[in-house]
């Protein structure tokens, strides 16, 4: 209600990146409180193919993957049938095994200094926290509590998307790192943090798979 006695409608528009809160676990980086695209810790958030910055596609397959012929992020994996080798079997790929900022979903959607965690940073989370399978807001997942300062984050068991289906939501979690699974399998795979009620560990998945992202920052 204005001073003139009339009702007025105020419309506000915003153009920019999402924002995120973080939790200091006493580790080398600070971890986001929520998954990328989520509004609270128990929300699943968005699903991304590895190396893509747009979430929630209708299908997650090689045919819909941004780098479907794997023209970027390759290493000498011995898979000579693929285009990162020439006709003579010589490696001609780029030897990049960590996402650049332009292909990092966290950086693209939240802005710098946010990024997807490296393999070492996820290993640090595994080694320096107590992992407790629990339920928050009716959602199953892990409370990850720092052994250093007692602070914690919640990682919901958000499953993953493959083709057009959401699989294993409520029972498993698949969280992308920014790293390829070098020295193992092939350039077709990237590393992810996998967990279910009984274990939490390093794993790998096809790069086209739709997994969740928990951003980090210095």
């Amino acid at each position: 209600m204005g001073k003139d006695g009339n009702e007025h409608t105020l419309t506000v528009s915003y153009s920019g990146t999402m924002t995120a809160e973080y939790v200091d676990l006493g580790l080398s980086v600070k971890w986001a409180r929520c998954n990328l695209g989520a509004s609270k810790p128990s929300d699943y958030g968005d699903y991304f193919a590895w190396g893509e910055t747009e979430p929630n596609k209708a299908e997650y397959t090689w045919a819909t993957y941004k780098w479907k012929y794997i023209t970027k992020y390759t290493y000498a994996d011995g898979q000579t049938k693929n285009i990162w080798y020439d006709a003579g079997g010589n490696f001609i790929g780029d030897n990049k095994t960590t996402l650049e900022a332009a292909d990092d979903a966290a950086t693209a959607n939240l802005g710098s200094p946010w990024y997807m965690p490296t393999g070492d940073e996820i290993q640090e989370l595994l080694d320096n926290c107590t992992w407790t399978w629990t339920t928050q807001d009716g959602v199953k997942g892990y409370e990850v509590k720092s052994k250093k300062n007692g602070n914690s984050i919640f990682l919901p068991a958000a499953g993953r998307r493959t083709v057009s289906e959401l699989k294993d939501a409520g029972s498993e979690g698949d969280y992308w790192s920014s790293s390829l699974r070098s020295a193992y399998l092939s350039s077709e795979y990237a590393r992810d943090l996998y967990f279910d009620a009984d274990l939490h560990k390093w794993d790998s998945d096809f790069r086209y798979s739709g997994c969740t992202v928990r951003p980090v920052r210095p």
Side-chain angles (χ1 to χ4, degrees):
M1 184 73 70
K3 291 182 179 179
D4 58 4
N6 297 321
E7 291 185 357
H8 300 268
T9 300
L10 176 65
T11 301
V12 179
S13 62
Y14 171 76
S15 177
T17 57
M18 294 184 287
T19 59
E21 298 176 351
Y22 64 77
V23 177
D24 184 357
L25 299 174
L27 306 179
S28 63
V29 292
K30 297 176 177 65
W31 287 77
R33 181 171 173 268
C34 305
N35 285 354
L36 186 58
S39 59
K40 60 181 180 179
S42 57
D43 287 346
Y44 291 164
D46 293 330
Y47 296 82
F48 296 85
W50 191 86
E52 294 187 0
T53 58
E54 294 294 327
N56 306 329
K57 300 189 297 185
E59 288 192 355
Y60 289 83
T61 64
W62 282 124
T64 64
Y65 183 52
K66 179 178 180 179
W67 316 104
K68 66 180 177 179
Y69 299 112
I70 310 195
T71 55
K72 191 175 182 180
Y73 303 110
T74 58
Y75 61 93
D77 55 10
Q79 304 295 316
T80 56
K81 67 182 184 299
N82 293 306
I83 65 170
W84 50 95
Y85 285 85
D86 64 18
N90 300 301
F91 176 68
I92 55 172
D94 57 20
N95 216 32
K96 295 178 180 179
T97 57
T98 302
L99 287 174
E100 297 177 345
D103 305 314
D104 186 306
T107 306
N109 287 279
L110 297 176
S112 180
W114 291 102
Y115 62 93
M116 291 165 58
T118 65
D120 288 343
E121 288 158 355
I122 290 183
Q123 187 63 55
E124 184 182 38
L125 192 73
L126 289 166
D127 292 342
N128 293 280
C129 294
T130 301
W131 292 63
T132 304
W133 185 255
T134 187
T135 301
Q136 187 173 122
D137 300 329
V139 176
K140 294 180 180 179
Y142 271 100
E143 178 194 48
V144 183
K145 187 174 183 178
S146 171
K147 298 175 184 178
K148 294 182 178 294
N149 63 14
N151 292 337
S152 64
I153 58 174
F154 179 73
L155 297 177
R160 63 186 174 89
R161 292 193 175 275
T162 181
V163 191
S164 58
E165 296 181 64
L166 174 59
K167 293 189 173 182
D168 303 315
S171 62
E172 296 180 4
D174 293 271
Y175 285 74
W176 281 133
S177 76
S178 59
S179 307
L180 283 182
R181 191 66 184 261
S182 56
Y184 178 74
L185 295 175
S186 81
S187 298
E188 297 172 347
Y189 294 84
R191 301 188 75 181
D192 64 354
L193 167 66
Y194 169 84
F195 61 74
D196 59 26
D198 299 315
L199 57 86
H200 43 281
K201 65 173 186 175
W202 267 119
D203 206 348
S204 60
D205 211 331
F206 284 116
R207 290 162 53 165
Y208 67 76
S209 299
C211 297
T212 46
V213 171
R214 181 59 65 95
V216 297
R217 61 173 294 164

